[in-house]
Amino acid sequence: MDHFLYRSGTLHAEDVALADIARTVGTPFYCYSTATLTRHYQLFTEALSPMPHLVCFAIKSLSNVAVLKTLGNLGAGMDVVSGGEYLRAKAAGVPGERIVFSGVGKTREEMRLVLEGGIRQFNVESEPEMRAISEVATAMGVTAPITIRVNPDVDARTHEKIATGKKENKFGIPIARASEVYAEAARLPGIEVVGIDVHIGSQLTELEPFEQAYLKVADLTRRLRAEGHDIRRLDLGGGLGIPYQRSNEAPPLPVEYGALIKRTVGDLGCEIEIEPGRLISGNSGVLVSGVIYVKNGEGRDFLILDAAMNDLVRPSMYGAWHDIVPVEEPAPAAEKQEYDVVGPVCETGDTFAKARPLPKLAEGDLVAFRSAGAYGAVMASEYNTRPLVPEVLVNGDHYAVIRARPTFDEILARDTIPEWL
Ligand code: LLP
């Protein structure tokens, strides 16, 4: 459920008409709903209660500081994968003890940064990384809490580019070698093992792969405890999918996911952490774009929008589907026509949808890409020197621009011409 609904014939974000925002902010723009962000976060906390738990929002999915503050104020933790994301979490007022640090390539500089500012735990992905944390922490005279990410060799049955839990993927240590790696961790100075981490992929539309992975983690917890390790936290990663094609997709709900967690690892007495990104942010955001032209091509009509692949890359990168809806509500019996929906960027890959049935649209009309809150703005670029799309946050009947569209002067000022030119 989300808070983007037609009211009086026009699409609203909560109580604000998207067309009103478009008039002041211009198109394209991303728009997020506070009520939807809040609701999705709460679905997870409710699903995990009464187990001791922390929901760590995966910042990579949507990293605007205003969004992080919205969630942080509710008590959310954060999952960060870079020093930059850590600084965003801090800028949003989230304390270090609610921030976990994931990722396969943490640098020593990033380790120092987060150890100075405070960190709940490092999710360690390899032995060289574990040794580096040990060195950095020892030199600083502190102890770094760590979990070790295990790779359970489970098929997440999702898009190959976002599956992470198979042995051929670069993530985690093979679960079969866990005893050995935990034994080394126990010997190293400057680090303290607090638990186990696992994350098998993103946009999972079935619970079964989670179940396989979590059962393996439960077994491992018992084994490592028997070997003398104090496993008190389980970080179970993110990955629960969302319905992108609302007409025919119904992925599992957070409550079902929570029940699965209770069933598989609930009896271990561990504190549970999860790292959902997409399920919190995905359907909390839309990308609103204007129609520049309708072009009649050979056997097809092109809807040329002012948004392009640089603003929302998921369709060209993963062949992803996003529902596209007109901002002005079509009459119930309005005739549909098929469009190839494209942007102005100079490559054929700049295609959002092919032969998409939509009500008849004309120059100047507005459309909204649904489910664009996750991995939308964060993956945008300035390809073709197109300014990064602004972001707007709605809360009830008011809204604020939470990242302004850069001016061309600002964009050009970032380049420097060397003195020899
Ligand atoms: N934790 C870790 C360690 C992750 O690598 C990820 C996502 C998450 C949590 C959050 O997963 P989520 O709950 O959002 O599925 N750009 C791709 C998605 C990449 C996901 C990367 N890792 C897309 O647009 O589909």
Side-chain angles (χ1 to χ4, degrees):
M1 196 210 123
D2 61 55
H3 297 77
F4 295 95
L5 297 170
Y6 288 111
R7 289 209 210 158
S8 322
T10 186
L11 193 60
H12 280 62
E14 305 186 23
D15 300 331
V16 180
L18 291 171
D20 287 344
I21 304 178
R23 265 189 292 279
T24 30
V25 175
T27 55
F29 65 92
Y30 278 97
C31 177
Y32 312 121
S33 152
T34 301
T36 314
L37 287 164
T38 304
R39 181 181 150 80
H40 289 168
Y41 165 74
Q42 282 168 345
L43 288 177
F44 278 116
T45 55
E46 283 160 20
L48 293 182
S49 294
M51 286 185 293
H53 66 271
L54 185 66
V55 177
C56 297
F57 176 59
I59 291 191
K60 64 167 79 68
S61 72
L62 173 55
S63 63
N64 190 291
V65 175
V67 168
L68 304 184
K69 196 162 174 62
T70 302
L71 294 169
N73 286 353
L74 299 169
M78 301 284 153
D79 168 43
V80 306
V81 291
S82 68
E85 285 193 352
Y86 176 81
L87 292 173
R88 283 183 175 276
K90 281 311 218 38
V94 179
E97 62 264 26
R98 296 214 308 259
I99 304 175
V100 302
F101 190 7
S102 304
V104 293
K106 304 175 194 79
T107 64
R108 285 174 165 76
E109 214 177 353
E110 289 175 319
M111 292 168 188
R112 272 188 288 275
L113 174 80
V114 309
L115 283 170
E116 260 158 32
I119 190 81
R120 179 179 180 83
Q121 81 209 22
F122 288 87
N123 292 331
V124 171
E125 298 242 9
S126 66
E127 287 144 293
E129 184 203 345
M130 182 167 84
R131 293 170 199 142
I133 297 174
S134 163
E135 271 167 39
V136 171
T138 307
M140 290 172 71
V142 297
T143 302
I146 68 155
T147 71
I148 296 173
R149 176 169 175 180
V150 292
N151 184 324
D153 194 23
V154 164
D155 182 358
R157 297 191 211 135
T158 182
H159 191 287
E160 59 163 355
K161 287 190 182 162
I162 54 176
T164 56
K166 288 287 286 175
K167 61 174 185 286
E168 59 269 31
N169 303 135
K170 67 181 174 185
F171 302 96
I173 57 147
I175 198 160
R177 292 197 44 241
S179 288
E180 201 185 309
V181 182
Y182 272 85
E184 180 180 350
R187 288 193 301 270
L188 285 174
I191 58 174
E192 187 199 0
V193 170
V194 295
I196 305 173
D197 173 43
V198 71
H199 170 79
I200 57 172
S202 191
Q203 186 53 20
L204 271 72
T205 51
E206 303 161 73
L207 287 181
E208 219 257 326
F210 286 119
E211 177 154 16
Q212 282 180 37
Y214 296 169
L215 286 172
K216 289 188 178 192
V217 168
D219 278 351
L220 180 63
T221 305
R222 292 187 195 98
R223 194 163 80 230
L224 291 175
R225 281 178 171 168
E227 292 166 6
H229 302 285
D230 182 13
I231 304 299
R232 49 187 189 273
R233 269 184 211 163
L234 298 179
D235 182 333
L236 301 175
L240 194 58
I242 61 170
Y244 278 100
Q245 205 166 343
R246 278 146 202 261
S247 50
N248 64 11
E249 283 177 339
L253 302 171
V255 65
E256 295 164 323
Y257 175 68
L260 167 74
I261 291 177
K262 288 174 187 164
R263 201 162 66 238
T264 50
V265 298
D267 61 340
L268 296 166
C270 286
E271 184 177 10
I272 303 298
E273 296 163 344
I274 54 169
E275 304 169 350
R278 193 188 311 263
L279 201 134
I280 293 179
S281 54
N283 284 324
S284 299
V286 295
L287 170 64
V288 178
S289 176
V291 177
I292 308 180
Y293 300 116
V294 179
K295 172 171 165 176
N296 305 118
E298 193 103 348
R300 67 193 65 224
D301 290 329
F302 294 101
L303 199 63
I304 304 179
L305 302 181
D306 60 9
M309 64 187 288
N310 68 297
D311 306 311
L312 177 66
V313 77
R314 302 192 69 260
S316 37
M317 190 155 174
Y318 312 109
W321 173 289
H322 283 263
D323 280 348
I324 302 170
V325 297
V327 167
E328 292 315 310
E329 187 173 19
E335 213 182 295
K336 294 219 167 154
Q337 126 169 30
E338 286 186 351
Y339 291 105
D340 280 10
V341 185
V342 301
V345 161
C346 303
E347 52 181 290
T348 301
D350 185 21
T351 299
F352 290 118
K354 283 199 168 143
R356 181 70 65 93
L358 289 169
K360 213 170 164 48
L361 288 157
E363 245 174 81
D365 285 347
L366 296 174
V367 296
F369 288 83
R370 308 294 315 255
S371 315
Y375 308 108
V378 287
M379 291 179 80
S381 76
E382 287 181 345
Y383 186 37
N384 282 204
T385 308
R386 295 169 43 83
L388 284 183
V389 170
E391 295 174 281
V392 171
L393 181 64
V394 169
N395 185 11
D397 61 1
H398 54 284
Y399 71 91
V401 175
I402 55 172
R403 189 182 69 194
R405 194 188 311 276
T407 64
F408 286 115
D409 284 346
E410 284 164 349
I411 293 174
L412 293 180
R414 294 203 306 258
D415 292 8
T416 35
I417 298 177
E419 33 91 15
W420 67 80
L421 285 177

